[in-house]
Amino acid sequence: MHIEILVEDSSGETLLEVVLPKLLGEYGNPHTWSMHSYKGIGRIPRNLKGSADPAKRILLDQLPRLLQGYGRTPGIDAVVVVLDTDRRSCVDFLNELKALAAGCHPAPNTLFRLAIEEVEAWYLGDRQALIDAYPRAKADVLNRYVQDSVCGTWELLADAIYPGGSAAIKKAGWPLPGQVKHEWAERIGPLLDPDRNVSPSFGKLRDGLRRLVAEAV
């Protein structure tokens, strides 16, 4: 089975590069995938004929064009789209995404998976991996977190493990936020245990991908 995977930013791609083999097996044995990261999430266009500039690489702006292209391309068995919900309603956002895919003709086999509120929820879902990566993480901050809540997730993680916390990152400004998120993906991602992770949204990614490849057998 070959899967095309779309993710909204490069730190998410870094994370998925180490997580996917844990879920799908070694690349090419037997499944293959291609990863595509974008430069932000954007918004769902009002119609499937939107004229967004492909060069800007904003994921939702490009999604109708991408899905329709995949639907016409032989050899692509499924498309997986991984997004943060941010402050959106998970249910409403997922329904909008499914409606977009249903309007594509032909539509590829598409799986949407959402991190609630941000992908950092998946790091917080595996406390052991997080502590192994950052042994000096502040337990009092981590203990305040309610799994998959909308609470300023990346800021809470930063307050637990980054010197000076989220305030220091915000004060420094770009590109530090992106650099820090890449570091988290590189340090925590390889230590994540998919079956130990208590994040419900990570569980949906894990189970959805496993089900996808099982159905292809």
Side-chain angles (χ1 to χ4, degrees):
M1 182 177 206
H2 179 75
I3 308 170
E4 294 287 308
I5 298 171
L6 313 180
V7 60
E8 67 182 76
D9 61 29
S10 57
S11 63
E13 178 181 19
T14 299
L15 171 62
L16 290 175
E17 282 176 344
V18 296
V19 168
L20 285 175
K22 300 180 183 183
L23 299 174
L24 304 179
E26 181 184 359
Y27 182 89
N29 189 26
H31 308 294
T32 60
W33 54 86
S34 296
M35 195 92 65
H36 307 276
S37 64
Y38 287 76
K39 295 182 178 179
I41 188 169
R43 61 183 61 187
I44 297 174
R46 293 182 179 179
N47 60 70
L48 295 179
K49 298 180 180 178
S51 56
D53 182 357
K56 292 184 177 179
R57 293 190 61 77
I58 306 298
L59 181 48
L60 290 181
D61 296 15
Q62 304 294 331
L63 195 55
R65 178 184 64 83
L66 292 166
L67 292 183
Q68 291 183 98
Y70 286 134
R72 294 191 295 265
T73 305
I76 294 176
D77 301 299
V79 179
V80 176
V81 185
V82 180
L83 302 159
D84 292 350
T85 60
D86 297 316
R87 298 277 169 171
R88 301 174 182 85
S89 160
C90 174
V91 173
D92 292 346
F93 189 30
L94 187 58
N95 285 338
E96 291 172 6
L97 292 166
K98 288 181 176 179
L100 186 159
C104 297
H105 301 288
N109 180 16
T110 306
L111 178 68
F112 295 104
R113 283 297 179 260
L114 307 177
I116 313 291
E117 140 197 44
E118 295 159 332
V119 76
E120 284 74 26
W122 296 351
Y123 305 137
L124 289 159
D126 188 343
R127 177 75 71 91
Q128 185 61 56
L130 198 161
I131 296 298
D132 287 347
Y134 293 93
R136 300 178 68 179
K138 297 176 181 177
D140 60 325
V141 176
L142 297 177
N143 290 339
R144 293 203 306 265
Y145 179 62
V146 176
Q147 190 63 55
D148 282 28
S149 61
V150 178
C151 62
T153 308
W154 83 261
E155 289 95 338
L156 184 142
L157 181 59
D159 289 343
I161 65 177
Y162 188 83
S166 60
I169 297 172
K170 291 178 178 179
K171 182 177 181 180
W174 195 259
L176 185 59
Q179 293 170 345
V180 168
K181 291 184 178 186
H182 268 280
E183 178 189 304
W184 295 344
E186 291 167 355
R187 289 183 62 172
I188 306 172
L191 302 175
L192 289 178
D193 181 338
D195 294 306
R196 184 175 61 199
N197 202 303
V198 299
S199 164
S201 59
F202 181 85
K204 290 183 178 180
L205 172 75
R206 175 194 64 217
D207 298 344
L209 285 170
R210 287 175 172 171
R211 186 165 55 248
L212 190 66
V213 296
E215 291 170 353
V217 176

